[in-house]
Amino acid sequence: MATSSVEDLPGGPRGYLVLVAVASGEPPSQLALARQVNLDRTVMTYLLDDLEARQLITRRPDPRDRRARQVLITEEGRAHLERTQQSLSIAEARLLADLDEHDARQLRLLLTRVAQTAQREALTPEADC
């Protein structure tokens, strides 16, 4: 269900994460964006190339640091993101259909906490055991 909502995006779920991150505030640099979505810089460059080829994002020199490039979402990218989010909402509603609103809210909260922990773990070097 959810996978089919993002399958037409370059990079699938990764492309979706990039569009969400780029649409949600100040244009990040490519490096900051790679860190934010936990992608290797080289993988990020290829993904951004593919998203740019589909006219979903654009890149420009960062006015504060001309060596860096900012990533911006295009109008087509915003429209595509909105359609994808609507599709994901429908998929989520189907998946949670047997839960009442309280249980669905609790599940979302718990999954968000698990995702935040996973993100922190991915960004933190492993300690010696």
Side-chain angles (χ1 to χ4, degrees):
M1 285 187 253
T3 305
S4 64
S5 298
V6 296
E7 69 187 2
D8 66 331
L9 277 172
R14 287 178 174 174
Y16 174 73
L17 288 176
V18 167
L19 287 181
V20 168
V22 171
S24 63
E26 181 71 23
S29 69
Q30 285 186 207
L31 182 57
L33 184 58
R35 287 182 183 138
Q36 183 178 351
V37 298
N38 196 30
L39 281 179
D40 175 78
R41 290 183 319 194
T42 304
V43 172
M44 177 59 75
T45 299
Y46 288 120
L47 179 54
L48 292 177
D49 288 347
D50 292 344
L51 290 167
E52 193 167 35
R54 290 267 309 271
Q55 299 180 346
L56 301 175
I57 60 111
T58 188
R59 291 177 274 193
R60 70 174 182 208
D62 187 329
R64 296 168 300 224
D65 180 357
R66 306 293 282 173
R67 298 167 296 167
R69 304 208 17 168
Q70 289 181 319
V71 182
L72 299 97
I73 192 165
T74 63
E75 287 305 314
E76 176 60 30
R78 283 192 193 284
H80 200 292
L81 179 60
E82 186 175 311
R83 289 189 303 272
T84 301
Q85 288 173 325
Q86 289 171 351
S87 179
L88 286 168
S89 290
I90 292 167
E92 179 185 272
R94 278 192 221 141
L95 188 62
L96 303 180
D98 290 338
L99 300 179
D100 64 28
E101 187 55 39
H102 171 76
D103 288 344
R105 190 173 30 257
Q106 187 68 21
L107 179 61
R108 285 185 199 100
L109 174 68
L110 293 171
L111 290 173
T112 298
R113 288 171 51 192
V114 168
Q116 289 169 341
T117 299
Q119 183 71 10
R120 267 194 320 273
E121 290 293 318
L123 296 175
T124 306
E126 289 186 36
D128 291 336
C129 296

